[in-house]
Amino acid sequence: AATAPRIPPTRLALHHFDTSYSLHLQDLWPSVRAGLLCEQKYGALLNNFSPVDHVTQELELLNATDFISKAPQKAQQLQQGAAAEEAGRGESRSQEGRTAMQAEVMTQAEMSPPLRASISSNIKCYTFPRGDITRFRPARPDTLGLLDYYLMDAASLLPVLALNVQPGDFVLDLCAAPGGKTLALLQTGVCGHLAANDVSVSRTKRLYQILHSYVPKEIRETVSVTSYDGRDWGQLEGGTFHKVLVDVPCTTDRHSVMEDDNNIFHKRRTKERQMLPMLQLQLLMAGILATRPRGEVVYSTCSLSPMQNEYVIE
């Protein structure tokens, strides 16, 4: 009682989010707030290095679906709905108005190929429908001892899909631990070489564990795991990679409002939290310097904070 903080870090985090995110998100904030405070809902990333047919059948019997394969259908439905709505409005427009409407619909159509390209990989992740809070069973080993799927927040796959790795690409995961995104990158089956780095030695050990639990030895040998300070990477291997994922340390909003353990809103970590945008900027710059000309960098966080997202990019 004498040493416990008067205000728990989780309550401090929620107060901070209520103050800042309510201004940023406005009417959306109450529903986002409820989502942050709900129990985490996992997706099951299938392990392509293990026989997955029976796992797929098992998950589909439970009414889970692969949200990645469903994405093109949903995108097409949204496009058709938008086009139909515009067409309905356009009936009473002048010829000039119709031309503008067609240009708008064409722009939407032109935006769809990158989306299709990004989800044509081998990655499969099953989730339960909205409102269904069924839990996945723990992963099981196959005859070779490799686990059949990896449970993770399905949204964590979006940066990997956006990276759109192509056959033979040299890929860098600059802040890789604990390893979910690194594993997802390997599931594409097309990385020419994958470098997985994290400054934390203890977190890198967790990454090694995941690789040993899910990936055969001959594939693990194509992955180089290091524990350098990511801010220095541009000096270590500058201009080397086709694709770089910079999934930076951040306030990790859900963890901040749910877990007091290792919470960045603890008063002892105030300065560390305040310096996050600068650290993020330095990591992003290092990621850019590590990229070949005409290469691609994806910057991502687990935070809703504009300071850690839009402002870092700007």
Side-chain angles (χ1 to χ4, degrees), residues 3 13 17 27 49 52 77 82 114 125 127-128 167 171 191 198 202 211 219 230 240 248 257 301:
T3 57
F17 296 159
D27 292 345
F49 302 115
V52 294
Q77 289 169 2
C125 184
T127 56
F128 290 108
V171 182
C191 294
D198 199 278
S202 60
L211 292 175
I219 304 296
T240 305
V248 293
V257 297
T301 76

Side-chain angles (χ1 to χ4, degrees), residues 218-268:
E218 61 271 19
I219 304 296
R220 290 200 305 270
E221 290 174 350
T222 68
V223 182
S224 59
V225 179
T226 54
S227 294
Y228 297 121
D229 186 331
R231 293 173 290 185
D232 300 329
W233 195 277
Q235 301 167 27
L236 295 167
E237 290 188 60
T240 305
F241 297 92
H242 300 95
K243 302 288 172 71
V244 175
L245 177 59
V246 186
D247 184 57
V248 293
C250 65
T251 49
T252 319
D253 294 353
R254 182 192 288 277
H255 180 274
S256 293
V257 297
M258 297 291 279
E259 301 286 341
D260 283 323
D261 184 41
N262 199 32
N263 194 311
I264 199 162
F265 279 86
H266 195 286
K267 289 188 176 180
R268 287 196 301 266

